[in-house]
């Protein structure tokens, strides 16, 4: 996808957010293969779907930097995103910027296009795939049939991909109000896609955390796995 | 806000006598009066859209740096100054609760409220104003029929016939009632013209049919159904017909006696009236036999601790304090529309409908839903459409942000229809008599620009 030419992006301000080099390299390395329903995966996270894998160092090719923190936390990224959109004073420039970011959204695994991954309340169709890795970081993938919605998803994922669940859950709609594009003011209407996606990301994160906590504190409730057993005595 | 004098066009070019000659309104009105006179003189060269636009202050604004082009009339219509003034006048001079009060304000409010009822009755040619029940909107009116008539008349195995193109408000209440009574819902599909299949409907009507629920004009397809014929077929088996006239009453002459409809519903806000009020027309003999829907004040005769007796229709179905000012506003809207003439509005909108369809067809990769207009097939002045590879919400957003053009995108409260058409959503441009050919031109220009913009990303 070619970036917008200067004729279509009137704003001369640099596009800041997605120059974060941590976004793409790590995103490319996340190879989370969803098992089909017939295969009994070794590691299963039952957060609303049987098809998620809990990412662990044994079963996948994930290169999550163990123990590494991002250069920018979620709140830093929120501020960066907000300031970028705030600098675009013409609403149409925000639309164009969103379309630019839409083109950068990572491809969506077709097998994750499930009813339980639909984000409720959107005028467009949005699918959100969320998972938690062994370090407790959350990862997201999203897709939509609308380019503008994809742009929103792209921005939100940039902010929250690979973050701590607490940071994700702590993001409020008010902080991101500057992203209001096509929906004037602080309208709480059904068509406010990015708010619905944000709420969905927070809810799914909370659910993943709760599931993980159950797994970690009640290991005997799950069949013991030969290569990884988490118990109160350690791993 | 532009204060205006309501000038009836074109045969009654008199200034509103309520406005005193010394007020500034008079001078403005006089300017408009002379404009309308010149409209009479040059009849045919000033379109209805141009001549009525000055009456709608909301249309004269800019959004996002462009002139507003309002093409979302099927969602709600704009209100002329006459209606706004009627509302303001009500609240400023005689607001009072209706029906039971003794004092002057209450008597005046009651008179005006009941006068509004008479206006509605006359507008749709009901035989008596007691056949008009004021509700919150058409949705509530349909629910009234469902819960009141439906619960007492439907049995297990009774059939209700609907089309897949019905608005959700005409489907969902019947799903609930069908569950409660054991009635069965049967749906008519679309024919090759993308119109509800009238022959299929005729074939479905049987001795088991108790009710046929159909729209008069479709809010997505723009098609018009032959209600007179449907009523004849339904009555032949003793079934009743409920007509959803939300998209027809504002745009054409609707005659409930001519149609012989048993029930008819419409909303004020789609016919230049305020939100918060709508009405149900029901034949007297039907309403008389129906139990109340909502219980409370106004609809009772006597109340005891262990039982109550109920008022006659229409009061029986109007529990609580009604939307008095709003009903009076609806009356003012009816006066305004009648002043223009519904036939004239319909003729103008037909022209505009054909123009819109023709121009939309010129947009590459567009798919317009509903029938192609022809000599026997008339479309309403609305088009739902999709452009290949561009989500309608993206189209609508860009049109709004870049061009100030207001259209709707989504399923337009017709999910079953969209499922049948194989799409999740569509965009819809819908016109009213205050729109002009220039509005359509601007819309098409903007749409072309929007489509090129999105295609440049592919």
């Amino acid at each position: 996808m070619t970036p917008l030419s200067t004729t279509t992006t009137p704003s001369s301000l640099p596009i800041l957010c997605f120059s974060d080099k941590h976004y793409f390299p790590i995103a490319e390395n996340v190879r989370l293969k969803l098992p089909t329903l017939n295969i009994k995966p070794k590691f299963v996270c039952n957060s609303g779907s049987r098809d998620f894998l809990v990412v662990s160092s044994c079963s996948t090719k994930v290169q999550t930097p163990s123990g590494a923190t991002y250069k920018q936390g979620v709140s830093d990224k929120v501020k960066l995103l907000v300031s970028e959109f705030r600098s675009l004073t013409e609403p149409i420039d925000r639309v164009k910027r969103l379309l630019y970011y839409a083109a950068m959204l990572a491809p969506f695994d077709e097998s994750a296009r499930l009813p339980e991954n639909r984000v409720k309340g959107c005028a467009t169709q949005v699918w959100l795939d969320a998972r938690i890795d062994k370090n407790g970081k959350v990862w997201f993938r999203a897709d939509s049939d609308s380019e503008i919605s994809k742009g929103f998803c792209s921005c939100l994922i940039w902010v929250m991909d690979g973050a701590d669940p607490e940071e994700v859950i702590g993001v409020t709609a008010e902080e991101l109000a500057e992203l209001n594009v096509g929906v004037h003011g602080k309208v709480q209407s059904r068509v406010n896609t990015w708010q619905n996606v944000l709420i969905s990301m927070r809810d799914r994160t909370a659910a993943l955390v709760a599931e993980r906590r159950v797994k970690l504190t009640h290991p005997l409730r799950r069949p013991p796995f030969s290569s990884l057993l988490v118990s109160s005595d350690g791993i | 806000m532009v204060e205006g004098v309501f000038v009836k066009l074109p045969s009654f070019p008199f200034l509103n006598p309520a406005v005193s000659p010394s007020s500034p309104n008079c001078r403005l009105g006089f300017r408009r009066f002379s404009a309308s006179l010149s409209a009479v003189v040059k009849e045919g060269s000033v379109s209805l859209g141009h001549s009525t636009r000055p009456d709608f202050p909301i249309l004269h604004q800019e959004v996002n740096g462009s002139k507003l082009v309002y093409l979302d009339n099927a969602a709600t219509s704009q209100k002329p100054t006459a209606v706004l003034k009627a509302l303001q006048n009500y609240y400023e001079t005689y607001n009072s609760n209706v029906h039971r009060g003794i004092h002057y304000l209450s008597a005046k409010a009651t008179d005006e409220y009941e006068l509004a009822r008479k206006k509605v009755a006359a507008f749709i040619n009901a035989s008596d104003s007691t056949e008009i029940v004021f509700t919150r909107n058409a949705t509530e009116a349909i629910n009234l029929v469902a819960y009141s008539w439906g619960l007492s008349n439907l049995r297990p195995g009774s059939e209700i016939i609907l089309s897949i193109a019905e608005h959700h408000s005409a489907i969902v209440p019947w799903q609930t009632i069908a569950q409660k009574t054991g009635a069965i819902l049967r749906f008519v599909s679309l024919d090759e013209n993308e119109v509800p299949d009238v022959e299929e409907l005729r074939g479905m009507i049987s001795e088991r049919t108790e009710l046929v629920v159909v729209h008069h004009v479709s809010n997505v397809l723009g098609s018009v159904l032959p209600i007179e014929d449907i009523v004849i077929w339904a009555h032949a088996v003793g079934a009743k017909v409920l007509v959803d006239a939300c998209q027809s009453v504002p745009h054409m002459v609707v005659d409930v006696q001519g149609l012989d409809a048993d029930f008819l519903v419409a909303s004020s806000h789609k016919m230049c009236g305020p939100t918060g009020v709508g009405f149900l027309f029901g034949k007297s003999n039907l309403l008389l036999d129906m139990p109340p829907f909502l219980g409370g004040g106004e609809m009772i005769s006597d109340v005891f601790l262990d039982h109550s007796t109920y008022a006659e229709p229409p009061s029986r179905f109007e529990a609580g304090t009604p939307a008095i000012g709003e009903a009076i506003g609806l009356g003012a809207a009816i006066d305004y529309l009648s002043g223009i003439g519904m036939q004239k509005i319909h003729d103008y909108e037909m022209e505009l409908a054909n123009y819109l369809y023709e121009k939309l067809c010129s947009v590459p990769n567009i798919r317009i839903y509903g029938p192609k207009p022809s000599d026997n097939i008339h479309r309403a002045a609305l088009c739902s459409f999709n452009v290949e590879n561009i989500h309608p919400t993206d189209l609508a957003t860009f049109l709004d942000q870049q061009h100030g053009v207001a259209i709707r995108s989504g399923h337009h409260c017709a999910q079953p229809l969209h499922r049948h058409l194989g799409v999740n959503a569509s965009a819809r441009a819908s016109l009213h008599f205050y729109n002009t050919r220039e509005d359509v031109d601007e819309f098409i220009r903007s749409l072309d620009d929007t489509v090129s913009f999105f295609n440049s990303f592919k």
Side-chain angles (χ1 to χ4, degrees):
Chain A
M1 298 278 179
T2 53
L4 281 174
S5 69
T6 49
T7 51
T8 47
T9 313
S11 163
S12 57
L13 289 160
I15 296 167
L16 304 175
C17 303
F18 286 44
S19 58
D20 178 355
K21 66 174 173 19
H22 285 281
Y23 179 73
F24 281 111
I26 290 176
E28 309 261 73
N29 285 339
V30 173
R31 301 254 185 274
L32 299 166
K33 301 243 183 303
L34 295 175
T36 62
L37 291 173
N38 292 330
I39 297 171
K40 285 193 175 38
K42 280 187 165 182
F43 308 93
V44 175
C45 174
N46 281 333
S47 56
S49 155
R50 282 170 293 166
D51 295 342
F52 289 148
L53 272 178
V54 172
V55 173
S56 81
S57 56
C58 304
S59 64
T60 71
K61 304 180 184 66
V62 167
Q63 302 292 324
T64 48
S66 50
T69 52
Y70 282 92
K71 263 202 203 163
Q72 295 159 324
V74 164
S75 58
D76 291 328
K77 287 182 171 182
V78 165
K79 289 194 181 79
L80 210 58
L81 189 69
V82 163
S83 78
E84 179 177 337
F85 274 81
R86 193 180 285 140
S87 71
L88 303 168
T89 48
E90 291 298 312
I92 192 61
D93 290 337
R94 297 184 187 191
V95 173
K96 291 175 179 174
R97 188 60 58 89
L98 279 177
L99 295 178
Y100 177 68
Y101 287 144
M104 297 167 87
L105 194 59
F108 192 73
D109 198 336
E110 280 306 312
S111 55
R113 211 177 288 271
L114 303 164
E116 52 264 39
N117 284 348
R118 277 286 303 275
V119 175
K120 298 272 185 290
C122 293
T124 61
Q125 293 189 97
V126 180
W127 290 269
L128 180 72
D129 187 18
R131 60 226 28 228
I132 196 163
D133 69 16
K134 75 161 176 83
N135 296 319
K137 308 288 184 193
V138 281
W139 296 90
F140 300 99
R141 278 292 171 273
D143 196 17
S144 174
D145 54 357
S146 145
E147 292 300 308
I148 293 176
S149 298
K150 273 171 83 163
F152 283 133
C153 292
S154 195
C155 291
L156 288 173
I157 289 175
W158 175 79
V159 169
M160 299 198 260
D161 218 17
D164 285 325
E166 295 72 31
E167 284 187 292
V168 171
I169 291 166
V171 177
T172 62
E174 286 70 31
E175 289 173 76
L176 289 167
E178 296 294 334
L179 255 62
N180 270 334
V181 166
V183 180
H184 298 273
K186 299 179 177 58
V187 173
Q188 299 293 326
S189 85
R190 284 196 318 265
V191 304
N192 213 336
T193 303
W194 72 261
Q195 281 197 17
N196 292 328
V197 174
L198 172 66
I199 289 166
S200 206
M201 285 168 106
R202 291 197 314 230
D203 290 349
R204 300 283 285 278
T205 300
L208 285 170
V209 165
E211 291 280 348
R212 189 166 182 266
R213 202 172 290 138
V214 165
K215 270 196 62 184
L216 291 173
T217 55
H218 300 282
L220 295 178
R221 286 189 189 174
R222 304 250 175 241
F225 297 120
S226 54
S227 56
L228 186 70
L229 175 61
V230 178
S231 72
S232 54
D233 298 324
I235 298 170
Chain B
M1 179 170 125
V2 174
E3 285 279 295
V5 173
F6 165 49
V7 180
K8 287 187 178 182
L9 305 164
S11 11
F12 304 102
F14 295 113
L15 288 172
N16 187 335
V19 177
S20 72
S22 56
S23 77
N25 292 349
C26 180
R27 290 195 295 279
L28 243 154
F30 187 76
R31 248 183 262 132
R32 194 172 309 131
F33 167 66
S34 58
S36 71
L37 261 189
S38 60
V40 170
V41 166
K42 300 183 271 178
E43 195 161 336
S45 62
V46 178
S47 74
L48 189 58
H50 285 112
S51 58
T52 53
R53 279 181 83 80
D55 299 333
F56 295 84
I58 199 171
L59 296 175
H60 309 288
Q61 62 176 291
E62 279 198 355
V63 294
N64 299 322
S66 309
K67 197 165 66 78
L68 168 67
V69 179
Y70 184 77
L71 303 178
D72 194 18
N73 293 285
T76 198
S77 60
Q78 301 302 348
K79 327 299 170 197
T81 343
V83 169
L84 307 174
K85 282 173 79 98
L87 272 167
Q88 178 138 10
N89 190 41
Y90 165 72
Y91 284 110
E92 272 184 353
T93 65
Y94 62 96
N95 167 55
S96 197
N97 209 327
V98 293
H99 293 139
R100 299 239 186 265
I102 307 292
H103 55 85
Y104 171 77
L105 289 185
S106 170
K108 176 143 192 204
T110 304
D111 284 346
E112 293 296 325
Y113 180 74
E114 291 304 325
L115 178 61
R117 194 193 302 277
K118 290 192 171 61
K119 288 177 183 175
V120 173
F123 193 64
I124 59 170
N125 196 29
S127 57
D128 193 75
S129 64
T130 55
E131 292 182 319
I132 304 296
V133 177
F134 280 127
T135 58
R136 200 177 51 177
N137 45 32
T139 300
E140 186 179 285
I142 296 173
N143 275 275
L144 200 172
V145 177
Y147 280 84
S148 173
W149 180 91
L151 281 180
S152 39
N153 284 278
L154 297 171
R155 305 273 171 272
S158 300
E159 287 186 1
I160 305 171
I161 299 179
L162 310 94
S163 82
I164 58 166
E166 294 311 312
H167 189 279
H168 293 164
S169 65
I171 298 178
V172 177
W174 298 107
Q175 289 173 337
T176 313
I177 295 307
Q179 249 186 344
K180 289 185 195 296
T181 59
I184 298 165
L185 301 188
R186 300 192 62 191
F187 289 88
V188 168
S189 188
L190 304 183
D191 66 16
E192 66 278 1
N193 291 317
E194 238 163 40
V195 173
D197 193 336
V198 174
E199 286 311 311
E200 190 191 345
L201 194 156
R202 185 179 194 171
M204 260 188 207
I205 293 176
S206 72
E207 295 301 318
R208 293 181 302 280
T209 311
E210 292 291 342
L211 181 70
V212 179
V213 178
V214 273
H215 59 270
H216 195 174
V217 171
S218 169
N219 71 323
V220 175
L221 304 167
S223 52
V224 184
L225 284 177
I227 301 294
E228 299 95 327
D229 295 340
I230 294 171
V231 168
I232 290 169
W233 302 330
H235 285 178
V237 298
K240 307 285 179 268
V241 180
L242 165 62
V243 180
D244 173 0
C246 288
Q247 298 294 340
S248 61
V249 166
H251 302 283
M252 56 197 268
V253 176
V254 172
D255 176 350
V256 292
Q257 290 189 74
L259 297 173
D260 199 21
D262 300 291
F263 297 108
L264 184 136
V265 302
S267 288
S268 154
H269 71 93
K270 293 196 167 127
M271 49 191 285
C272 297
T275 47
V277 69
F279 63 87
L280 164 70
F281 158 80
K283 284 183 174 167
S284 295
N285 59 310
L286 292 175
L287 292 182
L288 274 163
D289 282 344
M290 280 160 57
F293 171 37
L294 299 173
E298 304 278 359
M299 47 74 71
I300 46 88
S301 177
D302 295 299
V303 180
F304 302 93
L305 288 182
D306 58 351
H307 75 284
S308 294
T309 57
Y310 303 114
E312 294 297 294
S315 300
R316 188 188 299 172
F317 306 106
E318 295 183 2
T321 300
I324 307 164
E326 286 69 21
I328 293 168
L330 170 57
I334 286 175
D335 288 338
Y336 181 83
L337 292 172
S338 304
I340 300 171
M342 292 314 296
Q343 191 56 50
K344 186 167 177 185
I345 287 177
H346 180 61
D347 293 341
Y348 175 68
E349 288 189 11
M350 280 298 96
E351 257 184 58
L352 222 49
N354 290 334
Y355 187 62
L356 172 68
Y357 189 90
E358 187 189 300
K359 296 284 281 188
L360 259 183
C361 282
S362 67
V363 177
N365 298 322
I366 199 162
R367 160 90 158 94
I368 304 173
Y369 302 107
K372 206 164 125 80
S374 67
D375 289 332
N376 356 347
I377 297 183
H378 293 164
R379 281 188 68 105
L382 63 90
C383 286
S384 300
F385 61 91
N386 264 308
V387 176
E388 218 174 295
N389 290 327
I390 306 175
H391 197 280
T393 303
D394 291 347
L395 279 178
T397 306
F398 194 90
L399 279 168
D400 168 58
Q401 298 289 302
Q402 183 76 338
H403 297 285
V405 174
I407 65 167
R408 183 151 291 254
S409 79
H411 49 64
H412 316 303
C413 291
Q415 280 186 24
L417 176 60
H418 280 76
R419 215 168 279 127
H420 174 87
L421 294 171
V423 289
N424 288 303
S426 60
R428 181 185 67 190
S430 50
L431 312 174
H432 211 22
F433 61 88
Y434 42 76
N435 287 117
T436 59
R437 284 170 86 99
E438 287 75 16
D439 285 339
V440 176
D441 291 335
E442 182 52 42
F443 166 54
I444 299 297
R445 230 188 332 265
S446 308
L447 185 60
D448 282 332
D449 180 51
T450 304
V451 169
S452 316
F453 174 80
F454 279 100
N455 284 336
S456 68
F457 275 85
K458 305 277 173 206

